[in-house]
Amino acid sequence: MQTILTGVRANEEPTIGNFLGAYKSMVNLANEHSANSNINMFVPDLHSFTTPIDHSKLYAQVIKGIKYYIAAGLDANNPNIHIYRQSHVPAHSELAWILDCFTYFGEASRMTQFKEKSEEHADAITVGLFNYPILMAADILLYDAKYIPLGEDQFQHLELTRDIATRLNNKFGEDLFTIPAPEKEQVKFMHLEHGLRIRNLVDPSKKMSKSSENEKTKISLSDDPKAAAKKIMSATTDSEGVIRFDMINQPGISNLLTIEALLTDRNIQDVIADWAGQTSYGDLKRKVADTVEHFLADFQEKVANITDEQVEQVLAKGEEYANRVANAKLAKVQKAVGLIK
Ligand code: AQP
């Protein structure tokens, strides 16, 4: 069976960018493929402190992250859907070390996210931040995952994973790792035209990020629905005066059209056609604000109805599966590199 895998760091409250780029893509794929594919959704909690966080909140955030996966629509009772925590599967860290020794400093140094986050956190650039794409490679390769629903910002890390896996396969045998599909194939698999990047509401040339300190730039999944609607109403647009989908010249308007289409499960081209030629940015904002408000109210109600006991049961099942599969792959790699017979 092929494996489809993704995760969302538990460092801060996730945004609708994370929801649309990762959670919703994964739920759509699970609905389509869970009869004949493993659907692995994990919380990469070891990635959570590659940048500074409040550690006293981490455990609760991880548990909330699991509730979000279930509320987003992943049916944990499905035998092919596996929900687990990275830190509870020690093989992730062990494989990451082995992969480190087959990754060149130069290629890891080229990761643009490392450069960007180093600028943001110039006083705390850790080796963990530098190393995180290699741990991400281990997260993927341990399960032979071919499809990884990700936002556009993560495609460079996916390419690095492919390079590392190809290098080890060339050295130790072609069947060591499944090589994840390249970017274009991933996008096609998600039924998208290009990688998803929900924009920052204040500066739409940037992506929406959960760690942004300015609350106005992002809609978090725990935002009060009415307050979130107000953020949409004050989102930066442009002075063109006509509603068009044009990410280069009208990124703010294009972002609103994208959010509207994805949250209402409509084809983006249909939404663009509905608004084509209209001139009232206020009308578009009111429609998207209403959509966001209703989405958040409904999502938060679902989260509130999931108990900690349910989460424990889901994790017990998911982590038993994950340890079994990951340990078997780790043993194969340990044998290949000469650590065991
Ligand atoms: N703005 C976005 N649009 C679409 N997808 C996005 N993702 C993140 N932001 C957007 C996707 O969410 C998944 C999990 O992300 P992550 O937290 O593991 O890492 P990230 O990419 O660093 O996400 P953030 O929100 O930007 O987090 P911070 O601010 O903490 O660094 C990935 O699939 C990502 O593509």
Side-chain angles (χ1 to χ4, degrees), residues 6-9 11-12 15 17-18 20-22 44 51 113 117 132 149-154 196-199 207-212:
T6 202
V8 177
R9 289 201 303 159
N11 53 329
E12 300 278 348
T15 66
N18 301 122
L20 296 173
T51 47
Q113 203 185 68
K117 288 203 191 291
Y132 131 68
L150 293 168
E152 191 195 34
D153 60 311
Q154 290 288 346
L196 262 185
R197 175 181 291 243
I198 301 300
R199 305 302 177 108
K207 77 162 190 158
M208 187 183 286
S209 260
K210 63 174 132 42
S211 58
S212 167

Side-chain angles (χ1 to χ4, degrees), residues 30-42:
N31 289 340
E32 192 177 342
H33 297 283
S34 66
N36 55 9
S37 305
N38 284 306
I39 306 293
N40 290 16
M41 188 79 181
F42 71 108

Side-chain angles (χ1 to χ4, degrees), residues 66-107:
I66 305 286
K67 290 186 179 178
Y68 284 172
Y69 291 168
I70 302 168
L74 282 179
D75 173 12
N77 292 320
N78 180 323
N80 292 341
I81 296 184
H82 315 288
I83 298 178
Y84 52 94
R85 292 164 290 188
Q86 179 190 41
S87 64
H88 285 57
V89 187
H92 288 242
S93 314
E94 294 190 35
L95 181 62
W97 175 255
I98 295 175
L99 299 184
D100 270 343
C101 300
F102 292 91
T103 307
Y104 297 111
F105 185 77
E107 65 185 341

